[in-house]
Amino acid sequence: MRILSLVLFGFLASAGADGAHHWGYKGEGAPQNWGDISTDFHACKYGKYQSPIDITSTIKATTDNPLAFAYKGEAKDVANNGHSLQVNFKEGSTLKLDGKDFNLVQMHFHTPSEYTFNGKHFPMVAHIVHQTKEGQILVLALMFEEGKENEVIKQIWSSAPKKAGESKALAALDMNALVGKVESYIRLDGSLTTPPCTEGVIWIISQNNAKASKAQIKTFTNIIGVNNRPVQPANGRVVIEAK
Ligand SMILES: [Zn+2]
């Protein structure tokens, strides 16, 4: 069965070259059809803890277990994968939570934000993806408000390829400056917001937002387009607001 699904997926992936079966954000490949594109994307349709969701109420909690950042920000490259601009990192940066080290793997962006707050989007979000050695994924979402120009975004955008499938080397990024101090955050369980929509992802949404200029946000949308998955049913999800 596994071999069959791999073969099938291979077929669909190659059929995607003409855009007919490939996932995206509009047309046949739009988010409401992801679960039907491939059996590997089953969770997109039948999962019960999908992301993003609309955040309407939270359970307030104080934590004696703050996030501990040890970011070096050594970037490998920035890739245009057709769905987003993605910065890939070299090993060596970590975020500690629950006594576990999550290694910084990659960071990509969505316009507008995917999680919403009482129905409202932020104009842009960075998803900073981490993984333990055992494969546990943690995504830190950093919301962007419109404001002054962001130096780290400026550095990424200046190297970002405009063509899908291309990548370009990138110097180290000041990830500590980008993320800033996370004094409070929202925590919930969810999934990857792109196929295969795998569940069991820890989501941390910083409540200390970053800023980027209107022109910087527009630059991303001009290259990638609107790339947010719509909100999914919360299904009684526990949403914690930690300080
Ligand atoms: Zn994302």
Side-chain angles (χ1 to χ4, degrees), residues 100-103 131-137:
K100 277 190 256 182
D101 277 327
F102 292 81
N103 300 301
Q131 194 167 23
T132 62
K133 280 196 182 75
E134 293 74 32
Q136 169 70 60
I137 295 172

Side-chain angles (χ1 to χ4, degrees), residues 108 110 114 127 193:
H108 61 268
H110 300 267
E114 298 202 296
H127 284 169
T193 66

Side-chain angles (χ1 to χ4, degrees), residues 101-119:
D101 277 327
F102 292 81
N103 300 301
L104 173 62
V105 181
Q106 52 104 332
M107 167 172 71
H108 61 268
F109 301 84
H110 300 267
T111 54
S113 71
E114 298 202 296
Y115 283 94
T116 56
F117 301 85
N118 294 310

Side-chain angles (χ1 to χ4, degrees), residues 132-241:
T132 62
K133 280 196 182 75
E134 293 74 32
Q136 169 70 60
I137 295 172
L138 180 160
V139 186
L140 170 67
L142 180 66
M143 300 292 163
F144 284 79
E145 297 168 21
E146 219 175 87
K148 68 174 197 228
E149 190 176 58
N150 185 300
E151 287 303 319
V152 177
I153 295 296
K154 187 177 175 182
Q155 193 187 338
I156 301 167
W157 279 196
S158 68
S159 293
K162 298 208 167 33
K163 243 178 101 181
E166 292 185 353
S167 63
K168 205 172 163 192
L170 194 62
L173 297 175
D174 191 345
M175 288 299 289
N176 296 306
L178 182 71
V179 173
K181 242 202 171 114
V182 181
E183 284 157 343
S184 69
Y185 59 85
I186 284 167
R187 177 175 181 169
L188 71 156
D189 289 333
S191 72
L192 300 179
T193 66
T194 55
C197 308
T198 313
E199 298 191 334
V201 174
I202 300 170
W203 280 91
I204 301 286
I205 306 170
S206 174
Q207 299 261 265
N208 299 91
N209 304 324
K211 284 188 170 62
S213 71
K214 191 174 183 170
Q216 287 183 312
I217 296 165
K218 194 167 182 292
T219 296
F220 179 89
T221 312
N222 286 346
I223 298 172
I224 299 295
V226 168
N227 67 338
N228 69 300
R229 183 189 196 193
V231 292
Q232 305 295 307
N235 294 328
R237 210 87 51 100
V238 175
V239 180
I240 290 166
E241 188 174 348

